[in-house]
């Protein structure tokens, strides 16, 4: 068993849920998050309130799942990301679990 962590911009929430289903990942948790990238100095100075930070509405998903499901999901994500017209690919990482209860 491993811990799968996936982040997506809110626009792709339905897409990742479909990919989870295709990869047989049926148990997972999610949370709304704000995504940030390092802003350029031009962006900072163009704001009326330069100290105000606004992130991109995003989602974080995590699941304790088996390698076979993770492999299937990674293949699906790679295909999905190849067809993107934005600079916001689905990102996923896997963390091994040493112990669990």
């Amino acid at each position: 068993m491993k811990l799968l962590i996936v982040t997506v911009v809110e626009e792709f929430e339905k897409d990742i849920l479909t990919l989870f289903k295709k990869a047989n990942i049926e148990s997972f948790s999610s949370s709304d998050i704000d995504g940030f990238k390092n802003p350029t100095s031009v962006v900072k100075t163009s704001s009326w309130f330069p100290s105000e930070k606004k992130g991109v509405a995003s989602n974080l998903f995590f699941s304790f799942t088996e390698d076979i499901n993770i492999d299937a999901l990674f293949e699906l994500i790679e295909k999905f990301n190849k067809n993107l017209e934005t600079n916001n690919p689905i990102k996923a990482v896997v963390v091994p679990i040493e112990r669990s209860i």
Side-chain angles (χ1 to χ4, degrees), residues 52-96:
E52 193 176 302
K53 295 181 180 179
K54 291 189 178 182
V56 176
S58 302
N59 301 100
L60 176 116
F61 295 89
F62 61 95
S63 176
F64 296 96
T65 191
E66 303 300 325
D67 285 335
I68 191 165
N69 299 339
I70 293 170
D71 292 341
L73 182 67
F74 269 60
E75 286 181 28
L76 292 166
I77 290 173
E78 285 177 2
K79 288 178 188 174
F80 181 86
N81 284 343
K82 283 182 183 178
N83 297 319
L84 284 183
E85 295 180 8
T86 71
N87 192 21
N88 296 305
I90 295 174
K91 296 185 180 181
V93 297
V94 177
V95 181

Side-chain angles (χ1 to χ4, degrees), residues 1 13-14 20 23 27 36 42 45-47 49 55 57 60 72 74 80 82 85-86 90 94 97:
M1 180 178 300
E13 181 180 8
K14 289 181 182 178
F20 271 29
S27 297
F36 294 90
V42 174
T45 59
S46 68
S47 172
F49 305 101
L60 176 116
F74 269 60
F80 181 86
K82 283 182 183 178
E85 295 180 8
T86 71
I90 295 174
V94 177
I97 305 297

Side-chain angles (χ1 to χ4, degrees), residues 4-10 13 16-17 20 28-35 56-63:
L4 169 69
I5 303 170
V6 178
T7 59
V8 299
V9 292
E10 196 172 71
E13 181 180 8
I16 194 62
L17 294 175
F20 271 29
F28 58 88
S29 298
S30 69
S31 180
D32 295 336
I33 59 173
D34 290 326
V56 176
S58 302
N59 301 100
L60 176 116
F61 295 89
F62 61 95
S63 176

